Amino acid sequence: MAPFKQNNSSIISFPSSVTYNEASEDQIMVVSCYSNFDKLAHGPRGTEAQHCLHVYRFNPTDGHMVLLNIAGSADEVINPAFSRFHPRLNILYTCTEDIEENGQIIAYEVGFDGELNKLGHVDAGGTSTCYLTIDRDQKNLLAVNYWDSTIVTIPLSTETGNFIGGVESKYDPKGGKIMVAAAKKFGGVNHSNNDDSTIAQRQADPHSHALVLDPYVGCMAYVPCLGKDLVREFFYDKDGGKIQEELNFLPSGLCTGHPDGPRYLEFHPKYSTMYVVNELSSTVSTMLVSAIGA
């Protein structure tokens, strides 16, 4: 079996954490595939997937993978862009990417043999949903919407991991302004290109692309903004479950005058160092982050 040979796959996306079987050290890995290219800001290569979620058992010792389950028909799950496992429960959250309509966030119970049983779903409160974070107390899920740059919080049950309501709060870095750039089907650029005119359109608006909470107390939210070459620092009210205010922002690169386009960031597991992946400049920046913020 060749687990990675997906003829209809457009992209693979790995969750940030994994679920371990109690009977072994094998890990459950989920690969997600795009199913409708017209609804994306960029133009993937390959063909549209008929089934969007592929579940594997991965052995970290020798690296082999076994396909366990194929789920998520293209009619039901459109462009699952990002998946995240619950840190404590066997729950998988997947968000859909659509620049025309609000994304959906779907919760699945994950069975021992890779079965995905739908637990619930909610509206993501914005378009082209691209990143999910669960807060330190596991009471809220924070979602990032790339196209309109909004950040939302959604309450979770601490017992089941299911949603216990829709969008609780919403932060819009555009301040409610209408977007400048258009989708590619309406005359906009293909975000997969990297020429000057495409980059100018990609950076005509803010584009939040991820959200990572600080590893100290979990109340500082760091958001790379691909559209403005910034890492934004927010205060996250973990008791109220909402992004309270923007406290600070820093350039995502070395201020060379060329676009950087920050996409993802991650903290070092031991040191007070944050790594920022810049998509447009193909660079990685390092930042020192103290317990009281950057």
Side-chain angles (χ1 to χ4, degrees):
M1 179 181 295
F4 276 122
K5 189 177 181 181
Q6 300 295 338
N7 293 329
N8 60 355
S9 297
S10 56
I11 191 169
I12 57 174
S13 175
F14 298 93
S16 299
S17 58
V18 292
T19 296
Y20 290 83
N21 288 329
E22 294 181 358
S24 71
E25 294 183 354
D26 286 357
Q27 301 170 3
I28 295 295
M29 182 178 289
V30 178
V31 176
S32 56
C33 309
Y34 285 138
S35 59
N36 189 326
F37 294 175
D38 288 339
K39 292 182 176 292
L40 298 171
H42 61 292
R45 296 181 177 88
T47 57
E48 297 172 341
Q50 298 300 310
H51 293 87
C52 304
L53 298 171
H54 297 69
V55 185
Y56 297 87
R57 178 171 288 122
F58 171 68
N59 187 302
T61 302
D62 59 17
H64 82 265
M65 297 170 61
V66 177
L67 179 63
L68 300 177
N69 186 25
I70 298 176
S73 70
D75 295 334
E76 297 176 355
V77 186
I78 299 175
N79 298 332
F82 186 89
S83 298
R84 182 177 294 281
F85 280 101
H86 192 283
R88 178 174 49 87
L89 304 170
N90 283 330
I91 304 295
L92 176 76
Y93 303 94
T94 293
C95 60
T96 64
E97 187 171 344
D98 189 330
I99 60 175
E100 299 176 23
E101 301 177 9
N102 283 1
Q104 299 293 309
I105 304 173
I106 307 167
Y108 296 96
E109 290 182 311
V110 184
F112 180 82
D113 291 323
E115 309 98 321
L116 296 180
N117 299 307
K118 186 175 178 180
L119 187 63
H121 73 278
V122 293
D123 188 286
T127 46
S128 200
T129 313
C130 64
Y131 199 87
L132 306 173
T133 292
I134 297 173
D135 68 10
R136 194 182 187 96
D137 296 329
Q138 302 167 19
K139 292 181 178 180
N140 292 283
L141 182 145
L142 295 89
V144 176
N145 298 302
Y146 167 79
W147 186 248
D148 64 9
S149 200
T150 53
I151 304 166
V152 303
T153 58
I154 299 166
L156 299 175
S157 166
T158 55
E159 295 181 359
T160 67
N162 199 4
F163 309 109
I164 55 175
V167 171
E168 188 76 18
S169 70
K170 184 174 183 176
Y171 183 89
D172 183 0
K174 305 187 306 302
K177 294 181 180 179
I178 298 175
M179 289 186 58
V180 175
K184 64 178 186 289
K185 66 182 296 184
F186 299 114
V189 297
N190 182 341
H191 285 214
S192 291
N193 297 330
N194 210 34
D195 57 275
D196 291 343
S197 60
T198 298
I199 291 175
Q201 283 294 300
R202 292 192 72 180
Q203 297 199 310
D205 303 284
H207 287 298
S208 305
H209 215 300
L211 185 152
V212 177
L213 295 170
D214 75 88
Y216 310 110
V217 293
C219 67
M220 304 299 292
Y222 295 91
V223 177
C225 181
L226 188 147
K228 298 302 176 184
D229 286 342
L230 298 172
V231 175
R232 302 182 187 273
E233 182 183 56
F234 296 93
F235 174 69
Y236 170 61
D237 178 2
K238 57 184 181 179
D239 294 323
K242 62 181 179 180
I243 298 294
Q244 192 72 36
E245 60 181 319
E246 184 173 351
L247 300 177
N248 194 11
F249 59 85
L250 291 171
S252 64
L254 297 177
C255 300
T256 61
H258 299 287
D260 285 307
R263 183 182 180 103
Y264 290 125
L265 59 85
E266 190 63 69
F267 281 90
H268 191 282
K270 180 179 179 181
Y271 302 110
S272 300
T273 303
M274 182 169 67
Y275 302 92
V276 181
V277 178
N278 293 302
E279 176 181 332
L280 300 182
S281 61
S282 298
T283 60
V284 177
S285 301
T286 57
M287 298 183 181
L288 181 65
V289 181
S290 69
I292 57 174

